[in-house]
Amino acid sequence: MTLPLPLIRESFLQARALWVVVFLLTAWPAQAQEIKLEAENATRNGVTVGNSLAGYSGTGYVQGFDNSFAKNVTFTVNAPAAGIYDLAIRYATPSGEKGYALEINGQRTEGMFSNVPGFATAQAGKQYLNAGTNTLVIGGSWGYYYIDFIALTPATIPLPAKPPKTLTDANATTSTKNLFSYLVDLYGTKVLAGQQENNLLQEIDYVREQTGKDPAIGVYDLIDYSPSRLQYGANPNNHSENAITWAKKDQGRGIISLMWHWNAPTDLINQSPDKLWWSGFYTRATTFDLAAALADKNGANYQLLLRDMDAIALELKKFQAQDIPVLWRPLHEAAGAWFWWGAKGAAPFKELWQIMHDRFTNHHQLHNLIWVYTAEPNKQDWYPGDAYVDIVGIDIYENSATASNHSAQWTELQTLFNGKKLVTLSETGNLPNVEYIKSFGTWWSWFAVWTGPDYIRKQPIPLLQSVFTHPDVITLDELPNWRTYGTLTGLALEEASGGLRIFPNPSANGKLTVEMTATSARATTFILLTSTGKKVASVKQKLQEGQNVVQIPVQQLPAGVYVLLVQQGKERFTRRVILQK
């Protein structure tokens, strides 16, 4: 996790279902134009106008920002219509990468400015504006930057593209493939609820007590299995076994995510107040040099890296022995450099990730892992590579008084990974606003709130209840039997069905037609499922060689996103279907 930050209070945006919002926001009048506002003409608080850096627009730019939000520039934005707009900020960062805070009509979020020469444009995500006057404030966070102008244009809200159902481990277990298939099918329609667990605090029990629901994903930390912690007497308290017990709840449908705050293998400083042995995963608490260890593959420190990985592999094998797939999220937040595995830069981190992937997959034959990489804004050079990553996550701890729509972070990750990888909110200090997820289209695969009194236990109980009972949030009791759900076992069938066409899709007239080209006569079943795996329609038909037409009855079904499962014997594949009324 990152630095502790105050609680974000929920501020719901009233919005309709996503497809309604998409329709409204793609129906902007043809004359709708960009709104561009120069910073030097805005209201300034503790900042000044400069013109020494070439390349600015207008008559100058605003400078003098620091870490205080009291130093800011306030824009008055007159919007021709209420709706969601794309926000671009023209900026410069003379002293390296910086962070900024943004507040629109009292709703606050945060973002990053990359370190680029001269002026550049940051895409600050999608923002909701009222018709008429709106107030937009930029300032604070951390850094010294210049603001040249802002620009807003009416936005469209696309659904995220689904990535291929192909894991980096070609030998992944059937259950692991099935879980990933379910995650891909669900992506862009619902969000899975997750919760970081703590043996002492028992956070999942707390969520259940307050909401009557278990999260769909239990997130556990293998921190105390680090050999250097065990050497000082750390007690894991059967954390792995507790996770396995929870995963077997509700007919074994609980989804497990594991992370590892890896205590440095050696060279712990072990000095008070903030460098004690138990904080040895922090850069400040160890002198362990990852780059040096990797440079000498025969050296003692490299062997200690392998020793530690082997110790964690033993824990992961406990899950594999119980046929439990794991959303495996190691080496998180590396680009922040506050953990030792990121302290020496991108290259050593990527090498360590790739070594771990190879050692776990090939040396230890662990085939129950779905590899989740935690990205940092504007840090593309830290990405280990498509061959080593299955899902991309982001950890967000925003210092905000109101709920953020997280659109800026979502937009950045979609720019890099849309159609390639699932994107998830792997760690958050606060519950997300589900109405924002719907209206801004930030369809994280899942979210997981951090543990402790400053995080999940500080969420208002009505908010906690509303999120865990929201129809667009999937909890444990709503999970399908993902072990057999939507498995891509029929790759040859899908390739042979390249002529499959579903129309109309989106469907708005209560009729759904499937055209499918068959290479030979064969009995085929077409099953329509809800996003949670409930079967709502089924048609069996013997296809003839050549083109076939199949009618799926959908007149009585409510509007929403569905999954069409096409099955021939043991072979199957899926397609997404959208019904509108």
Side-chain angles (χ1 to χ4, degrees):
M1 63 170 292
T2 53
L3 299 176
L5 296 170
L7 175 69
I8 297 174
R9 288 189 288 107
E10 188 74 0
S11 175
F12 283 105
L13 172 68
Q14 297 302 316
R16 296 176 182 270
L18 177 61
W19 65 269
V20 176
V21 175
V22 171
F23 172 79
L24 290 174
L25 295 177
T26 53
W28 287 100
Q31 66 270 24
Q33 296 180 352
E34 176 186 78
I35 301 170
K36 180 181 176 182
L37 299 172
E38 295 285 349
E40 67 270 21
N41 297 329
T43 301
R44 301 182 301 278
N45 299 286
V47 291
T48 60
V49 175
N51 56 18
S52 60
L53 180 65
Y56 58 82
S57 171
T59 60
Y61 51 83
V62 174
Q63 61 186 7
F65 297 94
D66 59 20
N67 295 345
S68 169
F69 194 67
K71 289 190 176 183
N72 60 57
V73 57
T74 300
F75 299 86
T76 299
V77 183
N78 292 309
I84 297 177
Y85 291 72
D86 286 314
L87 172 63
I89 304 174
R90 185 75 172 173
Y91 73 95
T93 51
S95 301
E97 176 186 72
K98 301 299 176 186
Y100 67 91
L102 170 69
E103 188 174 284
I104 299 181
N105 297 331
Q107 179 200 335
R108 189 164 172 178
T109 186
E110 296 180 6
M112 296 294 297
F113 291 141
S114 298
N115 182 20
V116 295
F119 284 92
T121 301
Q123 299 302 320
K126 302 181 189 300
Q127 309 296 337
Y128 182 82
L129 297 182
N130 301 312
T133 302
N134 299 264
T135 300
L136 189 154
V137 185
I138 300 174
S141 192
W142 56 280
Y144 173 71
Y145 47 81
Y146 301 156
I147 301 297
D148 186 15
F149 65 80
I150 64 169
L152 296 116
T153 52
T156 56
I157 315 294
L159 289 173
K162 293 180 182 292
K165 295 182 176 180
T166 305
L167 291 167
T168 56
D169 179 7
N171 297 314
T173 67
T174 299
S175 292
T176 305
K177 291 178 180 178
N178 291 354
L179 173 58
F180 189 64
S181 178
Y182 170 66
L183 294 178
V184 172
D185 282 342
L186 192 69
Y187 191 51
T189 68
K190 306 283 183 180
V191 177
L192 292 157
Q195 177 54 50
Q196 185 78 34
E197 182 57 301
N198 183 304
N199 265 359
L200 298 177
L201 297 177
Q202 297 183 321
E203 306 289 38
I204 291 178
D205 287 350
Y206 172 78
V207 170
R208 186 187 315 114
E209 291 165 1
Q210 302 302 329
T211 69
K213 299 269 194 174
D214 267 56
I217 300 178
V219 187
Y220 295 76
D221 191 345
L222 300 181
I223 180 172
D224 279 330
Y225 293 98
S226 299
S228 67
R229 290 177 74 91
L230 292 172
Q231 290 169 3
Y232 279 92
N235 183 359
N237 290 313
N238 296 315
H239 202 54
S240 295
E241 288 74 16
N242 293 340
I244 289 170
T245 297
W246 181 84
K248 290 183 176 181
K249 288 190 61 174
D250 213 338
Q251 301 176 332
R253 291 186 294 174
I255 300 172
I256 289 293
S257 176
L258 295 178
M259 63 184 302
W260 180 23
H261 278 89
W262 184 352
N263 236 48
T266 187
D267 299 330
L268 303 181
I269 296 174
N270 196 25
Q271 293 178 1
S272 61
D274 62 348
K275 299 178 182 180
L276 293 169
W277 63 266
W278 50 264
S279 62
F281 48 89
Y282 282 120
T283 301
R284 67 172 187 260
T286 179
T287 60
F288 185 79
D289 188 327
L290 175 61
L294 293 175
D296 182 7
K297 299 296 192 294
N298 295 316
N301 281 356
Y302 182 79
Q303 297 306 313
L304 289 176
L305 287 172
L306 299 184
R307 176 206 66 179
D308 284 16
M309 284 188 268
D310 293 347
I312 297 303
L314 291 177
E315 298 307 310
L316 295 172
K317 286 179 180 180
K318 295 177 182 178
F319 293 85
Q320 181 163 273
Q322 299 293 324
D323 192 26
I324 297 174
V326 171
L327 299 170
W328 174 233
R329 193 171 71 92
L331 306 175
H332 66 297
E333 300 176 11
W338 42 78
F339 298 137
W340 63 263
W341 51 84
K344 296 300 178 179
F349 160 72
K350 289 191 289 187
E351 183 179 355
L352 182 62
W353 180 286
Q354 293 166 7
I355 289 170
M356 180 185 290
H357 191 285
D358 174 73
R359 192 160 187 86
F360 283 3
T361 304
N362 299 314
H363 179 79
H364 285 291
Q365 293 294 301
L366 281 164
H367 300 302
N368 63 326
L369 306 182
I370 298 173
W371 290 76
V372 183
Y373 163 70
T374 309
E376 291 284 336
N378 302 314
K379 299 284 188 178
Q380 296 94 316
D381 56 330
W382 288 72
Y383 182 56
D386 290 343
Y388 302 94
V389 173
D390 298 309
I391 296 174
V392 174
I394 188 169
D395 296 355
I396 301 178
Y397 289 80
E398 288 190 335
N399 183 9
S400 176
T402 57
S404 167
N405 60 42
H406 297 151
S407 178
Q409 296 94 332
W410 172 265
T411 298
E412 179 177 349
L413 293 185
Q414 288 301 311
T415 299
L416 297 172
F417 300 107
N418 191 32
K420 294 173 56 179
K421 302 293 178 182
L422 295 176
V423 172
T424 194
L425 184 54
S426 44
E427 241 179 74
T428 176
N430 301 276
L431 287 162
N433 185 325
V434 186
E435 295 303 323
Y436 285 167
I437 290 174
K438 292 166 57 179
S439 54
F440 289 92
T442 54
W443 288 102
W444 310 105
S445 180
W446 72 85
F447 67 81
V449 182
W450 192 249
T451 177
D454 290 330
Y455 300 103
I456 187 60
R457 291 177 183 263
K458 205 170 184 178
Q459 307 299 298
I461 300 303
L463 169 60
L464 184 61
Q465 294 170 342
S466 69
V467 170
F468 271 77
T469 58
H470 196 285
D472 289 322
V473 174
I474 302 300
T475 49
L476 178 63
D477 57 303
E478 297 170 307
L479 285 173
N481 182 6
W482 46 261
R483 293 177 180 278
T484 58
Y485 169 84
T487 313
L488 187 61
T489 57
L491 183 58
L493 171 61
E494 182 163 32
E495 291 174 347
S497 304
L500 183 139
R501 185 166 75 98
I502 304 171
F503 63 93
N505 189 19
S507 170
N509 59 8
K511 296 181 180 180
L512 194 67
T513 302
V514 179
E515 283 187 356
M516 181 172 172
T517 301
T519 56
S520 61
R522 192 170 180 185
T524 304
T525 302
F526 299 84
I527 302 172
L528 197 64
L529 305 164
T530 67
S531 57
T532 60
K534 180 181 178 181
K535 183 167 71 174
V536 292
S538 179
V539 173
K540 293 183 179 180
Q541 185 167 321
K542 185 172 184 179
L543 303 185
Q544 302 302 315
E545 184 177 352
Q547 190 175 71
N548 298 264
V549 177
V550 180
Q551 298 287 340
I552 309 291
V554 297
Q555 293 89 342
Q556 304 303 316
L557 297 179
V561 183
Y562 295 80
V563 175
L564 178 66
L565 174 65
V566 181
Q567 183 168 351
Q568 292 181 351
K570 293 184 178 180
E571 296 185 346
R572 62 181 71 180
F573 67 90
T574 59
R575 290 287 190 273
R576 180 166 59 181
V577 174
I578 300 175
L579 301 184
Q580 297 180 355
K581 298 294 183 179

